[in-house]
Amino acid sequence: MTRDTAEAAFALLASDIRLRILETLVDVPQRESLSFTELYDAVDAANTSQFSYHLKELTGQYVQRQETGYVISDAGRRIVQSIRADEYTLQPEFDPIAIETDCPYCGATSAEATYDGRLATIGCLSCANSVLRYELRPGHVAKRSSLQALKAADRQMRGELSSAVDGVCQRCGGSMKLEFFTGKDVAPATVLVVYECQHCMTTLSVPIEVALLHHPEVIAKYWDGNLNVTTTPTWELLSEISDWDVELDESNGVVVEFPGDKQLRFELERDEESQLW
């Protein structure tokens, strides 16, 4: 989408009547529609000519006209969902909280989670480095304590990462480009895994150990030890990750050795739409 087409798409929403039309249609049960008169009565517009104009502007992009009446399009549904989630109108409120974790930089266990208006960050209190960062949304904090909100943000991130590992962007469904980065710039990580959506440019960047928490063998290994790594917050798993031995081999691959001599190996060369395993 170019800037001009995006501007035109958002300009269509610059009307209270149009937003009321979308909100009315989004609540219509699937496989049902509203006639012009039913929709007009539900929206309670000033007059039919004004209502007709706004409905016509929405039709095609956000509203679809069928033989039986009007229904909302997928694009219109996503707009209403975003509005109801307050994604564009509210700034999340988050009180700083103490977090116990294992800092990968210095090994200290005391940290604090804060929010700076952009990201929720778990920062080590000993070395001041950022241990984990999360996108914090209004829905994460709604009717939740700061700790519950942080856990919700972690689950959101892990869900997006799990989908990225399969090569699919959870935000838009686009294909994910996979790249590996090594060297001093990614320290203390040995290998940094970066996923970038080729459609919406959403980017996820994690040490390979965090990505491996979604590997079936890793899940099974810890499940046998009565630890569910799919639901445990990431900051509580850093002590487990720190026991892994990650090395680069001479064949352009990364070898991960777990306590107990279990190994997994991955090639570092990937094409744009490949999966991690």
Side-chain angles (χ1 to χ4, degrees):
M1 177 182 290
T2 66
R3 180 173 298 179
D4 289 343
T5 56
E7 182 179 353
F10 283 113
L12 289 175
L13 303 172
S15 162
D16 179 60
I17 292 180
R18 296 178 192 179
L19 292 179
R20 294 207 307 268
I21 290 173
L22 295 181
E23 289 183 312
T24 299
L25 288 175
V26 82
D27 292 327
V28 175
Q30 287 187 345
R31 298 186 178 87
E32 294 185 19
S33 61
L34 291 182
S35 67
F36 180 92
T37 300
E38 291 171 329
L39 188 54
Y40 172 72
D41 291 340
V43 171
D44 192 27
N47 54 68
T48 56
S49 60
Q50 180 192 59
F51 174 79
S52 180
Y53 167 75
H54 289 297
L55 179 59
K56 182 179 179 181
E57 289 294 295
L58 290 174
T59 301
Q61 180 75 16
Y62 298 115
V63 173
Q64 294 178 348
R65 184 174 183 178
Q66 301 179 342
E67 291 183 2
T68 55
Y70 293 90
V71 298
I72 196 165
S73 69
D74 286 340
R77 187 179 305 278
R78 289 193 295 271
I79 289 294
V80 175
Q81 289 171 340
S82 295
I83 292 172
R84 290 182 174 178
D86 294 318
E87 290 189 4
Y88 307 117
T89 57
L90 290 183
Q91 186 79 320
E93 295 183 2
F94 185 91
D95 296 324
I97 53 172
I99 295 291
E100 288 190 11
T101 186
D102 275 46
C103 175
Y105 295 91
C106 71
T109 59
S110 295
E112 185 179 51
T114 58
Y115 177 62
D116 64 0
R118 299 183 303 113
L119 297 171
T121 301
I122 296 179
C124 177
L125 293 177
S126 294
C127 67
N129 281 302
S130 296
V131 178
L132 291 167
R133 293 188 179 95
Y134 300 97
E135 179 182 354
L136 195 67
R137 302 179 183 180
H140 291 148
V141 304
K143 299 181 179 179
R144 291 189 175 110
S145 66
S146 289
L147 180 58
Q148 291 171 332
L150 193 65
K151 288 181 177 180
D154 184 79
R155 289 296 298 134
Q156 181 96 34
M157 181 274 289
R158 292 286 297 278
E160 292 180 4
L161 180 58
S162 178
S163 183
V165 166
D166 292 331
V168 179
C169 174
Q170 196 176 74
R171 298 287 182 90
C172 73
S175 62
M176 303 294 284
K177 177 182 178 181
L178 169 61
E179 291 187 271
F180 293 93
F181 293 90
T182 60
K184 63 180 182 180
D185 290 339
V186 303
T190 303
V191 179
L192 192 68
V193 181
V194 178
Y195 294 94
E196 183 179 69
C197 177
Q198 301 302 283
H199 185 67
C200 71
M201 299 303 149
T202 291
T203 301
L204 291 172
S205 175
V206 296
I208 194 169
E209 294 92 335
V210 176
L212 281 171
L213 290 172
H214 298 271
H215 192 288
E217 292 186 50
V218 175
I219 294 171
K221 166 183 166 58
Y222 284 101
W223 182 265
D224 290 340
N226 296 317
L227 176 60
N228 187 345
V229 297
T230 65
T231 59
T232 302
T234 306
W235 62 84
E236 294 182 11
L237 295 171
L238 296 186
S239 59
E240 299 289 340
I241 289 174
S242 65
D243 291 334
W244 299 1
D245 186 16
V246 181
E247 294 184 356
L248 302 178
D249 63 22
E250 297 179 354
S251 303
N252 198 32
V254 58
V255 177
V256 182
E257 183 172 334
F258 304 89
D261 297 328
K262 183 179 181 64
Q263 286 188 353
L264 292 175
R265 184 184 183 281
F266 304 93
E267 295 290 340
L268 288 182
E269 292 183 352
R270 295 286 184 243
D271 59 34
E272 290 190 351
E273 298 183 14
S274 64
Q275 300 177 8
L276 183 55
W277 52 75

